[in-house]
Amino acid sequence: MREQYRAQDGGLLEGDLALHPMEQFTRWFKQAAAPGSPLPEPNAMVVSTADAEGRPSSRTVLLKSYDEAGFVFYTNYGSRKAQDLSANPHVALLFPWHPMGRQVLVTGTAERTSRAETEAYFHTRPHGSQLGAWASAQSSVVASREELDAHYADLSARYPQGTEVPVPPHWGGYRVTPRTIEFWQGRENRLHDRLRYVREPASATTTTWLVERLSP
């Protein structure tokens, strides 16, 4: 199994990059999400955490928003990832856009979003997804599928379609503030382009980004 990568638009060169990494991410994300893209869920990303003892774990979640401040996803605050982040806020994100011959790799730290931001997002979710946030005690052991379905059915009866579902107190968002963002573009003969932005504090109130080329 061996894939020969062929870069889009002649690869990724330093002169092609935006000044800010989130602007560069926007360029690539728009291409990944454009009509006809080979990616079914371009906002799917692998979130890797480690617990207080350094034991790692990874899972795929959906990116729900991003801006210059970072990347936002939502979860149950009792989940394994949330417990890890409570003990160790350092996190890595990976966008595996393999059908496009690209990856975006992020390292940084995570902190909870405000309750207002969480509530605003929660009420945009489909009704069933809102109920699911209540029905699932994420990452905990459940006796059977039947038990989970019964809990969901009870919630459906309590909050039928058209009624407002309250935001679970145990559910909310995390914003990952990036320290590094690497843009990986596959090239022929395994000579890939890897350009990494590294955050450098310029002062107490401003940040600059150093761009490094990494050997493939």
Side-chain angles (χ1 to χ4, degrees):
M1 301 183 195
R2 184 172 294 276
E3 179 72 20
Q4 180 72 286
Y5 293 99
R6 287 177 172 81
Q8 299 183 18
D9 304 322
L12 183 65
L13 303 177
E14 285 80 350
D16 301 328
L17 293 179
L19 292 177
H20 196 284
M22 299 308 292
E23 181 184 347
Q24 181 64 34
F25 180 81
T26 297
R27 292 178 183 177
W28 272 25
F29 187 80
K30 286 182 176 178
Q31 293 174 7
S37 166
L39 301 171
E41 286 189 306
N43 62 325
M45 61 182 184
V46 178
V47 177
S48 297
T49 58
D51 63 17
E53 283 71 47
R55 293 171 295 200
S57 62
S58 299
R59 75 290 291 160
T60 302
V61 306
L62 297 179
L63 174 72
K64 289 303 177 181
S65 66
Y66 68 89
D67 54 25
E68 283 199 0
F71 304 85
V72 176
F73 66 92
Y74 292 85
T75 188
N76 187 307
Y77 285 145
S79 66
R80 179 174 178 177
K81 70 178 87 59
Q83 293 178 34
D84 284 355
L85 292 173
S86 292
N88 179 358
H90 297 285
V91 63
L93 310 177
L94 167 64
F95 294 86
W97 295 337
H98 302 312
M100 300 180 71
R102 288 177 171 176
Q103 302 178 75
V104 180
L105 304 94
V106 180
T107 65
T109 54
E111 63 178 353
R112 293 187 181 190
T113 58
S114 70
R115 201 61 192 164
E117 186 173 355
T118 289
E119 291 175 354
Y121 168 70
F122 183 82
H123 292 303
T124 69
R125 289 164 62 92
H127 181 74
S129 296
Q130 293 181 24
L131 297 179
W134 279 101
S136 172
Q138 194 175 73
S139 300
S140 65
V141 175
V142 61
S144 66
R145 177 73 201 195
E146 289 73 19
E147 179 181 303
L148 182 63
D149 288 341
H151 192 192
Y152 183 88
D154 289 342
L155 288 162
S156 296
R158 189 185 314 169
Y159 302 108
Q161 187 75 41
T163 61
E164 182 172 308
V165 180
V167 182
H170 55 267
W171 188 93
Y174 283 98
R175 174 171 284 100
V176 176
T177 301
R179 187 183 65 82
T180 67
I181 305 181
E182 177 186 335
F183 294 87
W184 186 102
Q185 173 66 69
R187 297 289 295 269
E188 293 184 7
N189 305 314
R190 294 298 187 263
L191 296 178
H192 313 307
D193 287 323
R194 299 177 59 190
L195 296 181
R196 179 174 66 185
Y197 292 81
V198 180
R199 181 187 293 270
E200 290 192 323
S203 69
T205 57
T206 62
T207 298
T208 60
W209 293 91
L210 170 70
V211 174
E212 303 172 324
R213 175 173 287 271
L214 304 179
S215 177

